[in-house]
Amino acid sequence: MSPQSPSPGSVRSAAEVNEQIRALWLRAGGTLSAQEREEYELLVIEWAEAIRGQVIEAA
């Protein structure tokens, strides 16, 4: 499975990305392959950006 990153301008909520991270870990059985690790890293970056966007909106 290749990592899926949103296209520019497409923004998912932190909750949506978090759910995808959880699903990845469940599918992987707790041990990530190199490809899954890459997908995980991209998801974490996307999650952090979503959280940052929520904080900016709240301010």
Side-chain angles (χ1 to χ4, degrees), residues 25-55:
W25 277 104
L26 284 173
R27 280 194 316 270
T31 303
L32 299 177
S33 68
Q35 186 175 4
E36 290 166 331
R37 169 64 73 181
E38 189 176 320
E39 180 179 358
Y40 172 74
E41 289 173 2
L42 291 172
L43 287 168
V44 169
I45 290 167
E46 183 181 352
W47 176 84
E49 290 172 354
I51 289 292
R52 190 169 30 252
Q54 290 175 356
V55 169

Side-chain angles (χ1 to χ4, degrees), residues 11-22 43 46-47:
V11 179
R12 294 188 290 179
S13 72
E16 288 176 290
V17 180
N18 189 42
E19 187 58 37
Q20 205 169 0
I21 291 169
R22 289 173 185 263
L43 287 168
E46 183 181 352
W47 176 84

